[in-house]
């Protein structure tokens, strides 16, 4: 199999760095939600937000390592991640239901961007990037379903 063109590589790296930026912002939001959730669903959501931010910590590392394996540089600062992210930083301390709604929306935003990275990587024959991002998409689909199920039954 031939190597992807320099243009294809640049597109994939740009997409991976975009996912990295989104993952960094989401991870911090999830940890903030973990710290600040209140109300009758505290115990369930406190635990679930921890599960989520722990998973996203692993995704951040895997995405950054994939960028390095492509001999490129992951976004080097938090401010660059915030600037490049498609996700909004959290302002204030929303109610538990709003935290879940925002998490679902953020996961769907990342999923859409991840699909674009998969498409670019597939076109370039970059199976490693496809597999990495596809695994993240699978997890997003599962967590989104679970959060929607909770949201549907929450008061």
């Amino acid at each position: 199999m031939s190597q992807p063109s320099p243009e294809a590589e640049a597109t994939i790296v740009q997409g991976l760095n975009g996912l990295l930026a989104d993952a960094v912002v989401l991870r911090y939001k999830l940890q903030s939600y973990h710290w600040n959730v209140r109300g009758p669903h505290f115990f369930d959501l406190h635990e679930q937000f921890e599960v989520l931010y722990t998973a996203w910590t692993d995704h951040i590392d895997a995405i950054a390592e994939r960028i390095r394996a492509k001999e490129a540089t992951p976004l080097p600062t938090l401010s660059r991640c915030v600037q490049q992210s498609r996700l909004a930083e959290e302002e204030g301390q929303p109610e538990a239901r709003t935290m879940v709604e925002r998490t679902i929306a953020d996961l769907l935003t990342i999923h859409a961007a991840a699909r674009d990275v998969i498409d670019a990587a597939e076109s370039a024959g970059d199976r490693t990037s496809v597999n990495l991002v596809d695994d993240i998409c699978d997890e997003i689909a599962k967590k989104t379903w679970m959060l929607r199920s909770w949201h549907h039954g929450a008061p």
Side-chain angles (χ1 to χ4, degrees):
M1 180 177 290
S2 65
Q3 291 285 47
S5 70
E7 296 80 16
E9 282 289 294
T11 299
I12 295 165
V13 168
Q14 181 180 6
L16 289 169
N17 262 321
L19 290 179
L20 180 63
D22 292 339
V24 167
V25 171
L26 179 64
R27 190 231 177 268
Y28 192 81
K29 285 173 76 169
L30 292 167
Q31 189 159 27
S32 178
Y33 290 167
H34 167 78
W35 293 327
N36 293 303
V37 67
R38 291 184 296 241
H41 300 290
F42 169 80
F43 289 105
D44 292 336
L45 290 177
H46 180 76
E47 182 178 327
Q48 286 309 305
F49 288 135
E50 183 174 9
V51 167
L52 284 164
Y53 81 69
T54 300
W56 281 95
T57 299
D58 292 341
H59 295 325
I60 288 166
D61 190 53
I63 294 165
E65 287 178 352
R66 183 65 190 141
I67 294 166
R68 288 297 301 137
K70 296 178 99 29
E71 299 184 14
T73 303
L75 294 173
T77 65
L78 292 174
S79 63
R80 292 270 308 276
C81 287
V82 171
Q83 289 168 354
Q84 276 198 242
S85 179
R86 289 164 278 259
L87 309 182
E89 287 186 281
E90 187 60 67
E91 299 291 334
Q93 295 179 3
E95 296 297 319
R97 188 173 179 84
T98 302
M99 290 176 177
V100 171
E101 290 167 356
R102 290 180 183 167
T103 300
I104 291 168
D106 287 347
L107 288 171
L108 293 175
T109 296
I110 294 172
H111 190 272
R115 294 298 319 156
D116 292 340
V117 175
I118 289 170
D119 291 345
E122 281 180 338
S123 294
D126 179 356
R127 295 299 317 153
T128 304
S129 294
V130 170
N131 292 338
L132 169 68
V133 179
D134 199 35
D135 287 347
I136 293 170
C137 283
D138 288 347
E139 186 174 323
I140 289 172
K142 181 177 181 179
K143 294 302 182 183
T144 301
W145 160 70
M146 295 172 115
L147 289 168
R148 283 180 170 156
S149 294
W150 176 90
H151 189 268
H152 179 71

